[in-house]
Amino acid sequence: MKNLIMTSAALALTAGMALADGHSVVRMGTEGAYAPWNFLNDAGEVDGFERELGDELCARAELTCEWVTNEWDSIIPNLVSGNYDTIIAGMSITDERDEVIDFTQEYTPADPTSFAALSTDVDPAAGVVAAQTGTIQAAYIADQGWTLVEFATPEETLAAVRAGEADAVFADDSFLAAALEGQEELVMLEQQVTLGGGVGMGIRESDTELKDAFNAAITSMKEDGSLNALIEKWEVASTFE
């Protein structure tokens, strides 16, 4: 195991040096509105699991991170346009997205997706389900043929249920657990679905060196146990075996 860790660290170092001319400063694009994955703290700075993870990945690859926030519904087009260099925003790896951008290996396994409602007797299939626009959750509800209402932000999906505009909200279990903590209005339903192929960093298809640098850094964190430690700290998903 020690030799594997040293090999991965060396790969990350080599990749960082190779990128010194073009990517010594990497702009990390995130939503900043999806706690505990990413959010803005009281100082207005990006915080959460992905901020801590991204900073560590950049350190291991010897890259300097600059954080940029972007609304979810345009987060992929703005990566392609060059407004930032990566997406690190709780984005599940899907075939549809992979046709437009590239992905690193997953840095968390797929997080279960859950429903929250005002009552435990709500049947999502028979009601109106709120989901964030452009997410795998919205696509799933549409594929089921259920009644879907989409919103631009995660907070708006919760507000829709509270206001009676939707019967349930469908989102990552970790997001709902954090959002419902300390309140008694909304409750989690027992029904869960696992969607997507894990969460990875989005990279432009032309940036193969940058992808390799982050893949090496992710591998090194998996091998030394620090990635599982971060996942457990922020309670965003199950850990890697």
Side-chain angles (χ1 to χ4, degrees), residues 122-181:
V122 168
D123 178 8
V128 177
V129 180
Q132 188 177 11
T133 301
T135 61
I136 55 176
Q137 288 82 15
Y140 175 84
I141 297 301
D143 288 345
Q144 300 307 301
W146 301 352
T147 304
L148 169 68
V149 57
E150 297 181 71
F151 294 91
T153 69
E155 287 300 328
E156 287 177 302
T157 65
L158 296 169
V161 178
R162 293 190 176 102
E165 299 173 13
D167 298 294
V169 55
F170 191 46
D172 286 331
D173 185 79
S174 54
F175 165 74
L176 291 176
L180 270 58
E181 187 175 357

Side-chain angles (χ1 to χ4, degrees), residues 2 11 23 36 40 46 60 67 73 75 92 102 107 116-117 143 147-148 150 181 198 200 218 230 238 241:
K2 182 176 180 181
L11 285 170
H23 281 291
L40 298 182
V46 175
R60 292 185 183 219
W67 288 86
D73 60 357
I75 202 165
S92 296
D102 208 348
Y107 55 78
D143 288 345
T147 304
L148 169 68
E150 297 181 71
E181 187 175 357
I218 293 169
L230 272 186
S238 59
E241 296 182 359

Side-chain angles (χ1 to χ4, degrees), residues 112-115 170 173 188-194:
T113 303
S114 298
F115 294 91
F170 191 46
D173 185 79
M188 298 278 275
L189 305 185
E190 291 185 2
Q191 186 175 349
Q192 281 191 335
V193 183
T194 299

Side-chain angles (χ1 to χ4, degrees):
M1 178 63 72
K2 182 176 180 181
N3 288 336
L4 287 173
I5 294 170
M6 291 176 65
T7 300
S8 296
L11 285 170
L13 176 60
T14 302
M17 292 173 63
L19 290 167
D21 291 337
H23 281 291
S24 58
V25 176
V26 175
R27 295 161 296 170
M28 310 283 273
T30 195
E31 184 181 15
Y34 207 64
W37 294 79
N38 58 82
F39 58 91
L40 298 182
N41 59 26
D42 292 340
E45 298 175 344
V46 175
D47 205 338
F49 165 70
E50 285 166 320
R51 173 59 192 266
E52 192 169 352
L53 171 63
D55 285 348
E56 178 62 21
L57 293 176
C58 280
R60 292 185 183 219
E62 293 198 341
L63 300 169
T64 300
C65 288
E66 291 182 354
W67 288 86
V68 179
T69 57
N70 193 97
E71 293 181 355
W72 177 262
D73 60 357
S74 62
I75 202 165
I76 289 179
N78 278 317
L79 171 69
V80 175
S81 297
N83 291 338
Y84 34 81
D85 302 303
T86 74
I87 294 172
I88 179 166
M91 180 172 283
S92 296
I93 301 168
T94 67
D95 291 340
E96 181 180 19
R97 290 169 179 161
D98 198 37
E99 292 179 358
V100 181
I101 61 174
D102 208 348
F103 283 95
T104 64
Q105 65 175 297
E106 62 181 10
Y107 55 78
T108 76
D111 187 31
T113 303
S114 298
F115 294 91
L118 292 172
S119 171
T120 56
D121 61 6
V122 168
D123 178 8
V128 177
V129 180
Q132 188 177 11
T133 301
T135 61
I136 55 176
Q137 288 82 15
Y140 175 84
I141 297 301
D143 288 345
Q144 300 307 301
W146 301 352
T147 304
L148 169 68
V149 57
E150 297 181 71
F151 294 91
T153 69
E155 287 300 328
E156 287 177 302
T157 65
L158 296 169
V161 178
R162 293 190 176 102
E165 299 173 13
D167 298 294
V169 55
F170 191 46
D172 286 331
D173 185 79
S174 54
F175 165 74
L176 291 176
L180 270 58
E181 187 175 357
Q183 61 88 61
E184 299 179 355
E185 191 174 11
L186 297 177
V187 295
M188 298 278 275
L189 305 185
E190 291 185 2
Q191 186 175 349
Q192 281 191 335
V193 183
T194 299
L195 304 173
V199 175
M201 296 177 70
I203 308 281
R204 283 184 292 273
E205 292 184 336
S206 59
D207 285 344
T208 55
E209 289 183 88
L210 187 61
K211 175 185 172 181
D212 291 344
F214 280 124
N215 270 335
I218 293 169
T219 295
S220 71
M221 289 189 70
K222 287 180 177 179
E223 290 173 344
D224 66 17
S226 57
L227 184 51
N228 275 346
L230 272 186
I231 291 171
E232 290 179 344
K233 173 184 175 180
W234 289 98
E235 299 180 343
V236 292
S238 59
T239 55
F240 291 100
E241 296 182 359

